[in-house]
Amino acid sequence: MWSVARPPHDAEAVFRKCISRSLQPVRDQLLAAVPEVVKAARDFEAAASTGTTHLLVEADFRSRFAKDIELKKTYKNRMVGATSPGRAIYDEIKDAIEFNICPMCGHRPIAGLDHALPKEHFPLLAVTPSNLVPCCADCNHDKLESVAKREEDVFLHPYFDDVDRDVWLVADILESIPTGATFNVAAPGHWSPVLAERVRHHFDELGLANLYTAQAGSEIRALEPVMERAHGRNGSVGVREELVDHREGRRRLHNNSWQGALFDALILSDWYCSGGFRS
């Protein structure tokens, strides 16, 4: 749910590297498709930068020279395999993300690369670097081979969409024993309705509310002795001061981490700060 730097690799160079060991006559067919790969990458990046990939026509991302199956093999057999000619590029893209955390959910470790537009429907983009997003296994699975038909249903793309400049992830504290939290999207007023819906779609389709809620319980429980000491020093004021420090630490990394949203909600909870932190 936050932006990361786009891979510096050139689409044509990556494609040529991946097909460099292909056998004839497939190699000549793939070489003939190089200009198509270059154009497909350019058209995809133009659409991704404006959140309009739903307008792309799948037929335009199929080659006149190479079969779909061979283009898809360019990723599966010529990039992912441990001894594949493109494996070093795969690893460079996958390992470039700070702290190895999936940018799609902001929580789980990266397991591999996901095609922003699936290679099944857009085979010319099978090894286009800007179409390959490091992500966790769960986000990859939840996205499946989905292709948006509406602008509101276009998943956020970490290379092109920066929604972490504004705080939009919010939490509510469940005043119970044990204490819990729920999470939701609260789009800033200056966002367009389409952007707000895209963030909501991303949040819902990847099941992030449940993911964050499941993690929040143990985080709150772990805070109990820290909050007890803070309360002993200066009552609810001491608890809030301690929580602010925790929140600021999280906000330094990302505005919309679930932990930052959780600490915001705890700070606002009179119930929690006056003693609700005790399980």
Side-chain angles (χ1 to χ4, degrees), residues 58 88-89 114 161 165 168-169 225 229 262 274:
E58 293 181 23
I89 299 169
D114 173 56
D161 297 305
R165 288 173 292 184
W168 52 263
L169 181 64
R229 289 193 295 272
L262 173 63
S274 62

Side-chain angles (χ1 to χ4, degrees), residues 109-211:
I110 290 168
L113 301 182
D114 173 56
H115 289 81
L117 291 184
K119 62 184 182 298
E120 184 66 32
H121 302 284
F122 299 84
L124 283 172
L125 298 175
V127 293
T128 296
S130 57
N131 191 44
L132 300 176
V133 179
C135 75
C136 67
D138 290 72
C139 286
N140 197 338
H141 176 270
D142 290 341
K143 263 184 86 267
L144 297 175
E145 300 292 329
S146 61
V147 178
K149 300 303 181 185
R150 304 187 311 148
E151 189 174 4
E152 295 87 345
D153 296 335
V154 176
F155 276 96
L156 297 175
H157 193 314
Y159 300 153
F160 298 95
D161 297 305
D162 184 4
V163 295
D164 199 46
R165 288 173 292 184
D166 300 306
V167 175
W168 52 263
L169 181 64
V170 296
D172 288 308
I173 300 304
L174 302 176
E175 297 180 355
S176 59
I177 302 299
T179 306
T182 59
F183 293 82
N184 212 331
V185 172
H190 64 273
W191 280 12
S192 69
V194 169
L195 178 58
E197 284 301 311
R198 283 185 65 201
V199 173
R200 165 62 66 184
H201 174 264
H202 186 108
F203 184 80
D204 289 345
E205 290 299 309
L206 297 185
L208 300 187
N210 289 337
L211 170 63

Side-chain angles (χ1 to χ4, degrees), residues 106-107 169-184 203 207-224 227 243 246 250 257-266 271-272 276-277 279:
H107 180 73
L169 181 64
V170 296
D172 288 308
I173 300 304
L174 302 176
E175 297 180 355
S176 59
I177 302 299
T179 306
T182 59
F183 293 82
N184 212 331
F203 184 80
L208 300 187
N210 289 337
L211 170 63
Y212 299 160
T213 292
Q215 300 301 317
S218 59
E219 181 80 6
I220 293 171
R221 185 66 179 270
L223 287 170
E224 183 179 340
M227 296 302 107
L243 289 170
H246 282 272
R250 294 298 183 175
S257 68
W258 65 263
Q259 297 97 328
L262 173 63
F263 289 126
D264 262 341
L266 291 173
W271 173 84
Y272 179 84
F277 54 82
S279 60

